[in-house]
Amino acid sequence: MQIGKKIKNLRLKKGLTQEELGERTDLSKGYISQIERDLSSPSIETFFNILEVLGCAPKDFFDEQELEQKVVYGEQDQTDYIDEERGYQIQWLVPESNEKEMEPIILTLEEKGEFKEFEPSLSETFAYVLSGQIMIRLGRRVYSAKTGEVIYYHASEKHQIINDSPGISKLLLVATESYL
């Protein structure tokens, strides 16, 4: 078993750099690098500390079965949230997506419905309008998109999505740096 390789894979899945893992475990970046390349072996105490930071139980770490990543998500994995007052529904398509690089949702807006207004952030937002027409306020500018059109923007200004058509509008929306 290549302990170093497994530790590196866990670290990468957690989105940590060697330096960040070192800071959280009181180890140097260089020592983390040596462990990951199997050039050095940590003490049991250090090893358990690394696993704790990486969110992995020792039993799971040594389980020889290759952990298969979940690739296909079904309806049973989805979660819904309805805000009747503002007239929108969010359908999270992937569980724990707010902990991942991208957060895909289906956003359904009732007639005159509006999604909450968001403060500027580092995220990027992509949306494909499945039906209806929506309006996006991005800072002082306003944009419209209708069925079949795509929206893509950096969320560097206050922004909000509003239903701009009679009837229901629906879009597939994917945001990075989760803020939904």
Side-chain angles (χ1 to χ4, degrees), residues 12 20 26 61 65 68 74 82-83 85 96 102 109 137-138 144 146 152:
L12 292 173
E20 290 168 329
D26 291 326
F61 184 85
Q65 279 187 337
E68 186 177 327
I82 298 172
D83 186 326
E85 185 178 314
E96 294 98 28
M102 298 182 294
L109 296 158
R137 278 195 211 126
L138 185 58
S144 285
K146 61 184 184 300
Y152 184 91

Side-chain angles (χ1 to χ4, degrees), residues 20-93:
E20 290 168 329
L21 179 57
E23 287 172 359
R24 294 179 189 194
T25 56
D26 291 326
L27 301 170
S28 72
K29 175 186 172 186
Y31 187 58
I32 296 293
S33 174
Q34 288 178 353
I35 292 171
E36 289 183 353
R37 292 181 291 144
D38 289 313
L39 299 176
S40 186
S41 297
S43 69
I44 294 293
E45 182 181 338
T46 299
F47 176 68
F48 285 157
N49 192 17
I50 290 170
L51 290 185
E52 184 179 335
V53 169
L54 296 175
C56 181
K59 178 191 175 304
D60 296 334
F61 184 85
F62 289 109
D63 188 355
E64 287 296 325
Q65 279 187 337
E66 186 70 32
L67 292 177
E68 186 177 327
Q69 73 172 308
K70 185 160 177 124
V71 175
V72 178
Y73 296 88
E75 285 186 44
Q76 72 278 5
D77 297 312
Q78 299 172 7
T79 307
D80 292 348
Y81 171 77
I82 298 172
D83 186 326
E84 291 178 7
E85 185 178 314
R86 296 190 78 137
Y88 72 83
Q89 175 183 348
I90 300 176
Q91 185 178 16
W92 279 274
L93 303 174

